[in-house]
Amino acid sequence: MVDPHKTDVRIGVLALQGDFKEHAKMLIDSGVNAVEVRTDTEIESIDGLIIPGGESTTMARLLIAYDLMELLKAKIASGFPVWGTCAGAILLADSAPDLDRPTIGGIPMTIKRNAFGTQVDSFETDLHILDLEGGDYHAIFIRAPLITEVATEVEIMSRLNNGEIVAVVNKNLMATCFHPEITNDKRLHSKFIDVVTKYKIDKSTEV
Ligand code: GLN
């Protein structure tokens, strides 16, 4: 593991809508610089980005209105690390058939919005997460999506007991259908900080 403190990693949380404040707090509590980002200049100043939970329709509209869609697509294509949680995961999917706007995309997967219906809109469960030390992860799902299809290169990080996919990683992109920012468990934030730290080090040593 690389030490994020030594590299002065700066992680942005997309702050157009949703629970960005909770993510920023988790990052700060994990010992890195966290900033709320809303503009292209702010996005250019960070080493990685979290797209929080909220409403993917609203966020997609605001991304288009603020002219951030193309910038994010280009940055993702160049390896920039992004972690999408819940609505954020929807925005990172190449295909979200029930979203009325285009996604940012980046992860070759299909995601289904509000996949758990109305009766079980929200639930909590313990998940086994790939390569996460320290036992199961207590995950909170709120009007959550489900990942229904993934390309072979996408690594599956976690499934529900019935086999449905709820977390994936694809190069420097992570997507989780649940809300890690409203627990006290910082392990997934630490995992993303590792991805960002490595990306920053690799970039600074590029010739
Ligand atoms: N249901 C929301 C959507 O479709 C996601 C919910 C969430 O982020 N908690 O965008």
Side-chain angles (χ1 to χ4, degrees), residues 52-57 85-88 90 99 113-114 142-145 179:
E55 262 316 307
S56 50
T57 44
T85 63
C86 206
I90 297 169
L99 183 71
R113 297 180 61 212
N114 302 323
I142 304 169
R143 298 188 59 232
H179 281 265

Side-chain angles (χ1 to χ4, degrees), residues 27-147:
L27 290 169
I28 290 164
D29 291 350
S30 305
V32 292
N33 299 314
V35 280
E36 293 178 9
V37 295
R38 296 178 183 83
T39 65
D40 50 0
T41 319
E42 286 166 347
I43 290 174
E44 292 294 4
S45 77
I46 53 176
D47 305 305
L49 177 72
I50 294 179
I51 306 180
E55 262 316 307
S56 50
T57 44
T58 311
M59 272 190 243
R61 262 165 233 179
L62 291 171
L63 283 169
I64 295 166
Y66 288 24
D67 230 356
L68 299 176
M69 228 17 153
E70 294 313 312
L71 171 68
L72 286 174
K73 278 180 199 271
K75 286 192 79 76
I76 284 174
S78 75
F80 180 68
V82 183
W83 176 19
T85 63
C86 206
I90 297 169
L91 291 170
L92 285 184
D94 280 351
S95 167
D98 44 12
L99 183 71
D100 63 355
R101 291 285 186 285
T103 61
I104 306 165
I107 305 183
M109 65 176 183
T110 303
I111 201 159
K112 180 174 163 48
R113 297 180 61 212
N114 302 323
F116 296 95
T118 46
Q119 308 90 317
V120 278
D121 266 344
S122 304
F123 64 97
E124 303 186 14
T125 189
D126 289 333
L127 296 175
H128 172 74
I129 296 191
L130 180 77
D131 296 337
L132 203 71
E133 284 172 17
D136 283 355
Y137 188 93
H138 189 70
I140 303 174
F141 291 77
I142 304 169
R143 298 188 59 232
L146 256 185
I147 297 163

